[in-house]
Amino acid sequence: MKPNEISKIRNIGIIAHIDAGKTTVSERILFYTGRSYKIGEVHNGEAVMDWMPDEQERGITITSAVTTCKWRKHQIQIIDTPGHVDFTIEVERSLRVLDGAIGVFCAVGGVEPQSETVWRQAEKYHIPKISFINKIDRIGANFLNTIEMIKNKLKENPLIIQLPVGSENNFTGIIDLVKMKEIIWDDDSLGADYSFKEIPENLIDEAEKYREKMIESIADFDDDIMEAYLAEETIEDADIIAAIRKGTIDLKIVPVLCGSALKNKGIQPLLDAITNFLPSPIDIPPIQGIHPETKEIVKCPASDKSPLAALIFKVSMIEGRKLTYARVYSGKLIAGSEVYNSSRFKTEKLSRILKMHANKKERIKEAGAGSIVGIIGPKESATGETLCNKDKPLLLEKIEFYEPVISIAIEPQTHSDQDKLEQVLSKYIIEDPTLKVVQDKNTGQTILSGMGELHLEIIISRMLREFNTKVNVGKPQVVYRETIKNEAEATVIFDREIAGQRHFGEVSIKVSPVERRGGNKFTSNVKNDEIIPSVYIPVIKQSITDSLQSGIIMGYPVTDISVVLTGGSFKESLGTDIAYTVSTSMACKEALSKADSFLLEPIMDVEIIIPEEFTGEVIGDLNSRKGKITSINIRQNSQIITAVVPLSKMFGYSTSIRSATQGRGTFSMKFSHFDSSK
């Protein structure tokens, strides 16, 4: 692909809190760009991007879906991401490979908890963003209040480039502050036809006031606009658009647009904003990797002629076959060729390359720089791994995964289910890195761990629907951590003959608690090779790391402790890796047993939105769950209660909140930290 063609690519994600309207926006984009012949609606289960049966039944996005459409000679590759906190990993790995993002906000709810979470994820990857304030037609919509929340909660610099004409039931169109025109949509054509008109006289003053503010904001970071503004010269629309684009890509501003996706208003100007303001692959700094052997930094410019650099960001098991999703940063993927997985030091064959449209596939011969495609062929490659040329290897930065916080016990209902269970679970683990499966050594049960009740509920549903595997499910269990109260020391000697060879190693360690959320720390105070040769220090460190994966109370991982290697001994020709591994592991367990171990449980950040009259009852219920109220705020006619609550006390809370508020209350929660529940 030529540079001028790569400059026409936009790789964007649509991110937001659940029910802000992400998928509805996606469906309109597909319809108005001609990618879909009709508008798919979330509420009737016909959304193209929500193709999984569980998504269609529940009306929520569970898995990120990829599609491609065209608008004004630009190719827009879109990833529609979930809004529910249980599926945050889908957002994380999507943002890792995107160049820009659209934050969708509900004009009634404003910046909601998961909106903050996904926004911070986008910030982590320095992704330029534009905002679309949706649902201007809803009762209680407040455009300017949402702008203030973007400023205060997200600490951003929102640039208003559109104003809504009316609100709630009176919302009729928008004012474009760049062109200084009113845009009106034709309802008979489902919003496909729209026209620019002169701004009504009663709105001109307000439009001019906000245009002035827009120009002033742009002048703060653009010298040319500043000079023209101070000289009171006419500023051309093209110059304003160019300045907004530069400010957006440089992360200095967030352009704000508005509309109502459900009422088919505001989507075409949003598409224009995507092409005008968000970056192409060549507008952002080339991604960097490291050479796996020399550790030198390798830059990957967005060009088909550069060496191959592609990152696998998702693996999906569709119809029993492994489908690998990859972003090509440089070079080309060619169907039928071989590529090198530098993360595993293995060669993989690309049988097919697919352009994706949700769950539909179109075979293509090759994919150049900037492409996001599906691949069939790689057998062992997994999420976060790098594909490159074998003669020019490099490793791209991996994707961070989250640790599960909730577990359930599952057991097959029949003998045939028993045969399938392990195979089915292995497929889902390949798909979802936040899903963990272990066998309880004491009970023989299969323990399935995930990010929340809904996450695990969806997996169980998919097992039955996709593989006809029936399981009995035990009550959800919290995934705890273990830590210690006091310092303790232990010395262990391992001196044993194994397979005719004697192994000797003596290790002395001291464990002590560190501040909460401090993690685990290892220090060696042994500096003399005559006590313990330095070659065994990494072995001891690894043994400590492995030992802390399973505590002495209930086998949960140990956290927030310091382990110091204080001494030991060594015998010439008898010291071995095995001896120091075993003696360290035994010393670790002995020290933990002396140090008064105790459990830490996951603490959740909870936000509850309720009508004011139910505040007392809801707070009383939270207190009974050992919750601590952190704030109570008023938004419109609702009370917003934020609290921290132990996860173990939140099971079944959705039923409780509905019961306490006559079905009018909602809540969301996300993991905060591990702590003692006392």
Side-chain angles (χ1 to χ4, degrees):
M1 194 175 290
K2 297 176 182 178
N4 64 328
E5 293 176 335
I6 296 176
S7 71
K8 299 290 186 183
I9 293 175
R10 299 291 182 272
N11 289 319
I12 63 161
I14 302 180
I15 59 175
H17 186 87
I18 190 170
D19 203 33
K22 295 180 309 303
T23 302
T24 305
V25 169
S26 301
E27 295 300 318
R28 267 60 182 179
I29 287 175
L30 296 179
F31 179 66
Y32 298 134
T33 57
R35 193 69 176 84
S36 298
Y37 70 92
K38 69 171 187 173
I39 295 176
E41 299 290 10
V42 175
H43 55 263
N44 60 21
E46 294 181 355
V48 174
M49 301 298 274
D50 286 349
W51 58 270
M52 290 175 61
D54 280 296
E55 292 178 314
Q56 294 168 350
E57 287 179 5
R58 297 166 189 265
I60 62 171
T61 303
I62 293 169
T63 182
S64 53
V66 180
T67 191
T68 303
C69 57
K70 292 184 186 284
W71 182 255
R72 304 201 193 287
K73 299 181 180 179
H74 286 74
Q75 178 178 306
I76 304 174
Q77 299 181 131
I78 303 171
I79 301 183
D80 179 31
T81 63
H84 198 286
V85 67
D86 283 18
F87 310 108
T88 300
I89 184 59
E90 290 288 329
V91 185
E92 180 81 22
R93 59 187 177 184
S94 299
L95 288 172
R96 173 67 177 78
V97 298
L98 293 172
D99 302 326
I102 304 168
V104 179
F105 301 96
C106 171
V108 180
V111 179
E112 297 170 281
Q114 188 64 5
S115 298
E116 289 188 68
T117 300
V118 296
W119 199 269
R120 302 294 175 223
Q121 287 173 290
E123 283 186 338
K124 181 169 72 174
Y125 296 116
H126 308 292
I127 294 176
K129 301 169 285 292
I130 58 179
S131 296
F132 181 74
I133 299 179
N134 193 27
K135 303 188 180 183
I136 298 289
D137 61 307
R138 285 268 304 274
I139 294 174
N142 191 323
F143 175 72
L144 294 179
N145 181 61
T146 305
I147 298 288
E148 284 302 308
M149 294 179 76
I150 291 173
K151 280 183 189 175
N152 299 328
K153 284 197 168 188
L154 303 180
K155 308 301 180 189
E156 290 287 2
N157 181 20
L159 182 75
I160 301 174
I161 62 174
Q162 291 179 354
L163 290 175
V165 178
S167 66
E168 301 182 344
N169 293 331
N170 297 318
F171 174 60
T172 57
I174 64 172
I175 293 173
D176 185 327
L177 296 176
V178 177
K179 296 179 179 178
M180 284 301 281
K181 296 286 185 181
E182 182 184 14
I183 309 177
I184 302 293
W185 279 266
D186 174 33
D187 292 336
D188 293 337
S189 66
L190 296 176
D193 296 329
Y194 61 103
S195 56
F196 290 84
K197 297 184 178 180
E198 295 302 321
I199 299 171
E201 284 191 19
N202 65 319
L203 297 175
I204 285 179
D205 289 345
E206 184 181 16
E208 288 180 345
K209 180 181 80 171
Y210 277 97
R211 179 183 167 86
E212 186 86 359
K213 288 183 177 180
M214 178 185 74
I215 299 294
E216 287 176 358
S217 296
I218 297 170
D220 286 342
F221 59 82
D222 189 285
D223 292 340
D224 293 336
I225 298 291
M226 171 68 82
E227 289 177 16
Y229 176 66
L230 293 176
E232 298 185 357
E233 297 174 356
T234 301
I235 304 173
E236 299 296 331
D237 294 354
D239 294 333
I240 295 174
I241 290 171
I244 295 174
R245 176 178 179 78
K246 186 175 187 308
T248 304
I249 293 173
D250 291 344
L251 305 178
K252 292 178 179 176
I253 55 169
V254 176
V256 180
L257 300 90
C258 61
S260 169
L262 190 62
K263 295 296 175 66
N264 309 315
K265 292 178 171 66
I267 301 302
Q268 293 92 339
L270 176 61
L271 283 162
D272 288 338
I274 291 169
T275 58
N276 287 337
F277 306 140
L278 291 178
S280 72
I282 61 176
D283 292 322
I284 56 177
I287 194 168
Q288 294 184 348
I290 61 168
H291 193 287
E293 295 173 3
T294 66
K295 306 303 179 186
E296 292 178 14
I297 293 176
V298 182
K299 290 187 177 180
C300 310
S303 167
D304 292 359
K305 296 180 180 178
S306 301
L308 175 65
L311 183 72
I312 296 171
F313 67 95
K314 176 175 170 142
V315 174
S316 181
M317 306 297 289
I318 297 178
E319 298 170 356
R321 297 194 67 179
K322 183 178 179 181
L323 175 63
T324 303
Y325 290 82
R327 160 73 191 263
V328 184
Y329 287 99
S330 65
K332 279 185 181 180
L333 291 175
I334 301 172
S337 67
E338 290 188 341
V339 293
Y340 184 61
N341 183 327
S342 55
S343 305
R344 293 179 180 262
F345 305 105
K346 292 195 173 180
T347 300
E348 297 268 32
K349 183 164 184 179
L350 309 179
S351 302
R352 297 181 191 173
I353 300 175
L354 307 168
K355 183 184 286 188
M356 300 301 300
H357 179 47
N359 62 327
K360 298 179 176 62
K361 316 175 195 70
E362 175 190 339
R363 290 182 69 167
I364 55 177
K365 293 181 179 179
E366 61 181 38
S371 300
I372 296 176
V373 293
I375 306 168
I376 291 179
K379 295 180 179 179
E380 298 185 45
S381 297
T383 301
E385 296 179 353
T386 303
L387 301 179
C388 58
N389 300 126
K390 191 169 185 177
D391 59 341
K392 293 189 177 176
L394 81 156
L395 279 168
L396 299 175
E397 183 183 353
K398 289 193 171 184
I399 299 171
E400 292 182 10
F401 301 134
Y402 299 88
E403 288 299 316
V405 297
I406 187 171
S407 300
I408 53 174
I410 58 174
E411 57 182 31
Q413 289 187 0
T414 67
H415 184 69
S416 63
D417 293 326
Q418 172 74 56
D419 296 338
K420 289 188 290 184
L421 183 59
E422 186 175 339
Q423 183 181 2
V424 171
L425 287 175
S426 68
K427 291 181 184 293
Y428 290 135
I429 291 170
I430 292 171
E431 271 193 13
D432 187 348
T434 62
L435 197 67
K436 300 281 192 264
V437 178
V438 296
Q439 297 290 329
D440 190 306
K441 296 178 182 177
N442 298 320
T443 65
Q445 287 180 310
T446 299
I447 307 298
L448 185 64
S449 303
M451 299 303 296
E453 286 182 275
L454 180 61
H455 185 200
L456 297 178
E457 189 181 319
I458 295 294
I459 293 296
I460 299 301
S461 172
R462 288 183 62 193
M463 288 171 63
L464 178 60
R465 193 189 301 272
E466 296 171 10
F467 296 98
N468 195 31
T469 303
K470 301 174 185 177
V471 295
N472 296 320
V473 180
K475 183 181 176 183
Q477 299 292 318
V478 177
V479 178
Y480 292 89
R481 294 289 185 270
E482 298 185 19
T483 192
I484 58 176
K485 293 179 183 177
N486 304 313
E487 285 189 357
E489 297 185 10
T491 298
V492 170
I493 297 173
F494 182 85
D495 188 359
R496 191 172 301 174
E497 187 174 301
I498 301 174
Q501 180 183 352
R502 188 178 168 197
H503 299 263
F504 178 88
E506 179 182 0
V507 168
S508 296
I509 63 169
K510 180 176 76 174
V511 298
S512 54
V514 300
E515 72 281 357
R516 197 64 64 240
R517 308 189 215 185
N520 295 331
K521 301 172 183 176
F522 169 77
T523 310
S524 172
N525 286 345
V526 176
K527 308 299 181 185
N528 189 338
D529 272 17
E530 292 182 3
I531 298 175
I532 298 178
S534 58
V535 69
Y536 294 117
I537 302 301
V539 174
I540 292 169
K541 180 179 179 180
Q542 185 60 49
S543 180
I544 287 171
T545 301
D546 294 341
S547 298
L548 296 182
Q549 294 301 308
S550 178
I552 62 166
I553 304 175
M554 298 175 68
Y556 292 113
V558 181
T559 189
D560 298 345
I561 75 166
S562 166
V563 183
V564 179
L565 177 63
T566 57
S569 65
F570 166 74
K571 290 185 178 180
E572 190 69 39
S573 77
L574 300 182
T576 64
D577 287 358
I578 292 175
Y580 283 105
T581 297
V582 176
S583 59
T584 302
S585 176
M586 294 169 66
C588 223
K589 298 298 182 187
E590 183 179 327
L592 290 176
S593 66
K594 295 177 181 178
D596 294 331
S597 293
F598 66 99
L599 291 178
L600 299 173
E601 65 177 316
I603 306 297
M604 312 301 287
D605 281 329
V606 182
E607 181 178 89
I608 305 153
I609 304 175
I610 54 169
E612 189 173 357
E613 60 264 33
F614 302 111
T615 303
E617 188 172 350
V618 169
I619 289 177
D621 182 53
L622 284 173
N623 289 335
S624 72
R625 296 172 184 269
K626 295 186 178 180
K628 296 177 182 177
I629 309 297
T630 54
S631 70
I632 301 176
N633 298 302
I634 298 174
R635 183 194 300 165
Q636 305 291 323
N637 299 317
S638 299
Q639 293 275 15
I640 314 298
I641 301 171
T642 59
V644 288
V645 190
L647 174 61
S648 60
K649 304 296 182 182
M650 289 299 292
F651 292 139
Y653 188 65
S654 56
T655 302
S656 297
I657 192 74
R658 282 197 296 266
S659 174
T661 62
Q662 299 174 9
R664 295 161 64 191
T666 60
F667 82 101
S668 61
M669 68 178 181
K670 62 181 179 180
F671 172 74
S672 173
H673 62 282
F674 283 96
D675 208 344
S676 169
S677 61
K678 294 181 181 178

